[in-house]
């Protein structure tokens, strides 16, 4: 699309004039500006009324020589007293940024979503943020427009997204993986908790930066209590991130599971990785290695010691790699995590824990990061060399901890998702999800949550809405001291409540509106639930 030239009157203010173009995705350049006299017979009383009823101030000038603008009220009074006022006239050249994608966005908005268009803001201080956000908004518009119902994706994560992850690892880090080696989680905190519940170690060592979201009873438990009651009690000890101190702790305490991060200075080479793998293998510990802080979604990623090791070596069966995508500059609270393992039994069990405890990972969140991976893979030139042959993993001793008895029992007795049909018209009634067409109202709230900038905390606050609803509808007294536990799916909510049974406290389970399979996973998108719940009402369940 070429360059367009506009003559813009400056009565509304230069900042407003420019922002009108910026918010709609234009690059602008001011070519010329002058002042012209306001016609004496022109009535500006309507502008005066607008100023009296809003915070906006129009821009006029006293005669043609003044550079200090005055508001409409002052200009009107001056003109009534015989003075002459002027306003600016500017000429702008405008060129649409990402014209193909912006066109898709506006085509979606004009198709019954006119109210949402007022929230559209495509102005950016950083071009890299624009290049990331605009293509995704175009994709989201197409997704919401074309998909009359929500797709049924496997619990391990959307197949396309897992293929993108495996493709990124192969193209950029020369690691031969498939989608079967990747399991997707809502966040790395969920991945860590699910892994610990799967193995239920008597003692686990977890990086001190990764224990914040773990159940408090795991951190308060004493290792000396043992398991005399026969229950799978998990004990978590915080560990330092520096590898030599962590290895010393592993050799002394001999934990059954280790969740380790890596210091920045140690993440560049593979030495620390090799030492951790050796130490955990020697004592019979399972290792979950977090590289979230060191993975870059870039066409020229920095050196990563863990991925450099995996390029030449198969991943031992006692080790898995955890990566939370936490460096989002566009939507800072939008997180997706994935675990890489080359042990098929571990991958299958982890995907089952997601279905059993969490439901599924947000589809839209996976689409967002999938767009980034897709762009990187499309940018990559075909490989000119063969993949490096990887050394096979060492045999792990039998003393390694396996799945806990309670986990085996739960996984054995539960009916899990079986993709028995690829027909798009099939509606799955055996899942706690809605695959029926999504109402336009929900689509509007979803899209508005993504196109908005500077969403305030008050707009995403579901707590106050829940407190008010519970008090008004059910007469249950609640105030700011009341504890509210809510989840994005009924399974996640039930899981959180289950961990509180020992507290002997009365809790109410409140599903936030209908459980759409889009499964909105970020603070930004809680706004959708808050809007929809307030409009439709929410049920109080025992």
């Amino acid at each position: 699309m070429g360059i367009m030239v506009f003559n813009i009157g400056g009565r509304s203010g230069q900042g407003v004039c420019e922002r009108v173009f910026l918010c709609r995705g234009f690059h602008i350049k001011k070519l010329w500006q002058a002042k012209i006299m306001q016609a004496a017979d022109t009535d500006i009383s309507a502008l005066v009324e607008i100023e009296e009823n809003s915070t906006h101030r129009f821009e006029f000038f006293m005669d043609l020589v003044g550079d200090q603008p005055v508001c409409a009220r002052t200009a009107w009074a001056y003109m009534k007293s015989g003075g002459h006022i002027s306003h600016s006239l500017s000429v702008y050249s405008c060129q649409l940024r990402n014209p193909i994608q912006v066109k898709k966005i506006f085509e979606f908005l004009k198709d019954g979503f006119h109210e949402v268009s007022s929230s559209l803001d495509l102005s950016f201080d950083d071009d890299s943020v624009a290049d990331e956000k605009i293509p995704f908004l175009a994709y989201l518009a197409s997704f919401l427009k074309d998909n009359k119902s929500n797709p049924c994706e496997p619990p391990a994560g959307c197949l396309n997204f897992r293929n993108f992850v495996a493709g990124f690892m192969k193209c950029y880090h020369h690691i031969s993986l498939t989608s079967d080696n990747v399991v997707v989680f809502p966040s790395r905190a969920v991945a860590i908790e699910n892994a610990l519940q799967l193995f239920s170690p008597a003692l686990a060592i977890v990086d001190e930066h990764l224990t914040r979201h773990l159940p408090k009873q795991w951190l308060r438990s004493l290792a000396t209590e043992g398991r005399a009651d026969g229950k799978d009690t998990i004990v978590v000890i915080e560990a330092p991130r520096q590898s030599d101190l962590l290895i010393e702790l592993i050799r002394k305490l001999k934990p059954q599971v280790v969740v380790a991060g890596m210091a920045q200075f140690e993440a560049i080479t593979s030495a620390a990785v090799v030492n951790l793998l050796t130490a955990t293998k020697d004592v019979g510990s399972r290792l979950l290695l977090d590289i979230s802080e060191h993975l870059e979604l870039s066409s020229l990623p920095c050196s990563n010691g863990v991925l450099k090791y995996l390029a030449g070596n198969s991943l031992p069966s006692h080790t898995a790699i955890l990566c939370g995508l936490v460096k989002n500059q566009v939507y800072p609270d939008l997180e997706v995590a994935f675990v890489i393992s080359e042990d098929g039994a571990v991958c299958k069990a982890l995907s089952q824990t997601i279905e059993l405890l969490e439901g599924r990972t947000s589809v839209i969140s996976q689409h967002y990061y999938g767009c980034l991976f897709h762009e990187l893979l499309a940018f990559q030139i075909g490989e000119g060399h063969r993949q490096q042959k990887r050394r096979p993993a060492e045999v792990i001793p039998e003393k390694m901890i396996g799945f806990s008895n309670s986990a085996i029992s739960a996984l054995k007795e539960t009916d899990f998702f079986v993709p028995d049909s690829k027909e798009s018209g099939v509606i799955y009634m055996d899942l706690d999800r809605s695959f029926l067409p999504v109402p336009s109202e929900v689509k509007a709230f979803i899209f508005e949550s993504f196109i908005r900038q500077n969403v305030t905390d008050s707009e995403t606050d579901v707590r106050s809405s829940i407190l008010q609803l519970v008090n008004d509808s059910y007469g249950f007294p609640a105030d700011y001291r009341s504890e509210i536990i809510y989840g994005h799916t009924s399974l996640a909510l039930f899981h959180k409540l289950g961990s509180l049974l020992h507290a002997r406290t009365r809790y109410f389970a409140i599903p936030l509106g209908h459980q759409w399979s889009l499964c909105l996973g970020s603070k930004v998108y809680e706004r959708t639930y808050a809007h929809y719940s307030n409009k439709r009402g929410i049920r109080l369940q025992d």
Side-chain angles (χ1 to χ4, degrees):
M1 184 175 292
I3 297 175
M4 297 171 284
V5 178
F6 291 88
N7 296 329
I8 303 296
R11 297 180 186 89
S12 57
Q14 291 297 304
V16 173
C17 293
E18 293 179 0
R19 186 154 182 80
V20 166
F21 290 102
L22 293 174
C23 288
R24 292 303 184 260
F26 284 91
H27 288 291
I28 63 172
K29 181 180 180 181
K30 185 183 294 186
L31 302 179
W32 178 81
Q33 182 175 354
K35 295 186 182 73
I36 60 174
M37 296 301 299
Q38 179 78 24
D41 59 346
T42 303
D43 185 10
I44 64 171
S45 60
L47 305 185
V48 174
E49 185 177 351
I50 292 175
E51 287 188 346
E52 291 176 348
N53 295 293
S54 69
T55 58
H56 180 70
R57 294 294 178 264
F58 293 91
E59 284 188 4
F60 291 90
F61 298 90
M62 297 168 61
D63 217 325
L64 292 175
V65 295
D67 292 328
Q68 182 66 37
V70 296
C71 65
R73 293 175 64 244
T74 302
W76 182 79
Y78 181 69
M79 188 170 60
K80 286 294 184 180
S81 300
H84 298 282
I85 62 173
S86 64
H87 64 83
S88 64
L89 177 67
S90 302
V91 178
Y92 291 97
S93 67
C94 304
Q95 187 172 18
L96 196 60
R97 184 203 305 260
N98 303 83
I100 297 177
Q101 289 90 351
V102 172
K103 181 181 178 181
K104 290 181 180 179
I105 295 171
F106 279 101
E107 287 178 348
F108 173 77
L109 292 177
K110 73 178 183 181
D111 189 18
F113 299 98
H114 301 290
E115 295 182 0
V116 181
S117 61
S118 60
S119 301
L120 181 62
D121 188 351
L122 298 178
S123 61
F124 303 96
D125 296 328
D126 187 346
D127 287 340
S128 64
V129 173
D131 292 338
E132 186 173 315
K133 183 173 182 176
I134 292 178
F136 171 70
L137 291 178
Y139 173 84
L140 180 60
S142 300
F143 175 79
L144 295 176
K145 182 179 180 180
D146 298 338
N147 287 276
K148 302 301 181 181
S149 60
N150 298 316
C152 184
E153 299 286 358
C158 299
L159 182 59
N160 282 342
F161 178 70
R162 289 186 287 137
N163 280 329
F164 285 147
V165 173
F168 175 78
M169 292 298 174
K170 181 177 181 179
C171 290
Y172 284 89
H173 296 283
H174 313 293
I175 305 171
S176 297
L177 297 174
T178 68
S179 60
D180 294 333
N181 301 126
V182 181
V183 181
V184 183
F185 289 85
S187 67
R188 60 175 172 174
V190 171
I192 293 171
E193 184 175 347
N194 283 17
L196 291 177
Q197 289 183 325
L198 180 62
F199 296 104
S200 293
L203 177 62
I205 290 180
V206 179
D207 186 286
E208 58 188 350
H209 299 92
L210 302 175
T211 59
R212 183 177 58 175
H213 298 291
L214 293 179
K216 291 182 174 57
Q217 62 267 26
W218 293 359
L219 302 175
R220 289 198 298 262
S221 300
L222 298 176
T224 56
E225 292 177 357
R227 298 192 176 190
D229 56 0
K231 297 182 179 179
D232 294 331
T233 304
I234 299 175
V235 178
V236 173
I237 299 295
E238 293 184 357
R241 176 161 291 187
Q242 191 171 323
S243 64
D244 57 342
L245 298 178
L246 175 59
I247 290 173
E248 178 67 17
L249 201 62
I250 291 172
R251 296 194 182 280
K252 291 291 185 183
L253 299 183
K254 294 180 172 57
Q256 293 167 305
V257 174
V258 176
V259 181
M262 298 195 70
Q264 183 64 44
F265 69 93
E266 293 180 320
I268 300 176
T269 65
S270 302
V273 181
V274 174
N275 293 336
L276 274 174
L277 292 175
T278 302
T280 50
K281 184 192 70 171
D282 290 345
V283 302
S285 300
R286 288 192 177 269
L287 174 63
L288 184 60
L289 189 56
D290 177 42
I291 62 170
S292 304
E293 306 297 336
H294 312 296
L295 181 69
E296 294 185 5
L297 300 187
S298 167
S299 58
L300 190 62
C302 296
S303 177
N304 186 304
V306 176
L307 301 181
K308 186 183 298 184
Y309 174 83
L310 292 183
N313 301 272
S314 297
L315 194 61
S317 59
H318 78 295
T319 303
I321 305 300
L322 168 64
C323 182
L325 301 175
V326 296
K327 296 184 176 182
N328 196 327
Q329 299 298 316
V330 180
Y331 304 108
D333 54 341
L334 185 62
E335 182 182 352
V336 166
F338 57 86
V339 171
I340 295 174
S341 174
E342 298 191 56
D343 187 328
V346 171
C347 287
K348 180 180 179 181
L350 286 175
S351 66
Q352 289 175 333
T353 63
I354 299 173
E355 184 175 1
L356 189 62
L357 302 178
E358 300 295 330
R360 279 166 175 75
T361 303
S362 164
V363 172
I364 292 182
S365 299
Q366 294 182 72
H367 287 333
Y368 173 81
Y369 287 105
C371 287
L372 300 184
F373 281 116
H374 178 266
E375 290 291 327
L376 290 171
L377 292 174
F379 180 80
Q380 178 73 12
I381 300 175
E383 290 186 278
H385 59 278
R386 298 176 59 184
Q387 287 286 319
Q388 178 181 352
K389 187 175 181 179
R390 304 168 72 199
R391 288 190 291 272
E394 297 182 24
V395 178
I396 303 302
E398 296 181 359
K399 63 180 179 179
M400 198 72 61
I401 185 175
F403 305 147
S404 67
N405 293 331
S406 58
I408 293 174
S409 176
L411 298 180
K412 182 179 180 180
E413 297 176 5
T414 303
D415 292 328
F416 290 104
F417 170 83
V418 178
D420 55 356
S421 175
K422 295 183 179 180
E423 297 180 17
S424 58
V426 173
I427 298 177
Y428 294 84
M429 303 299 292
D430 59 332
L431 302 176
D432 184 22
R433 314 231 346 176
S434 172
F435 299 102
L436 298 175
V438 179
S440 296
E441 186 179 56
V442 175
K443 290 184 179 180
F445 288 144
I446 293 171
F447 199 70
E448 182 182 2
S449 295
F450 279 96
I451 64 176
R452 283 276 306 278
Q453 295 195 31
N454 304 318
V455 178
T456 63
D457 290 339
S458 61
E459 292 179 283
T460 63
D461 179 27
V462 296
R463 178 183 174 84
S464 59
S465 300
I466 292 174
L467 289 175
Q468 187 66 39
L469 182 66
V470 170
N471 187 46
D472 293 347
S473 301
Y474 308 104
F476 184 80
D479 55 27
Y480 68 93
R481 294 169 296 181
S482 301
E483 182 178 4
I484 296 179
I485 300 168
Y486 53 89
H488 298 298
T489 65
S490 56
L491 284 174
L493 181 60
F494 183 80
H495 177 209
K496 292 180 181 180
L497 289 172
S499 64
L500 296 170
L501 292 179
H502 297 293
R504 297 183 180 181
T505 305
R506 189 182 183 188
Y507 290 92
F508 291 93
I510 303 178
L512 298 181
H514 195 79
Q515 295 296 331
W516 300 106
S517 65
L518 291 177
C519 192
L520 310 179
S522 167
K523 173 184 172 184
V524 171
Y525 317 119
E526 289 172 7
R527 183 168 181 270
T528 301
Y529 278 129
H531 277 256
Y532 193 75
S533 300
N534 291 338
K535 196 170 184 66
R536 299 291 185 181
I538 53 180
R539 304 184 307 275
L540 187 67
Q541 297 181 341
D542 295 332

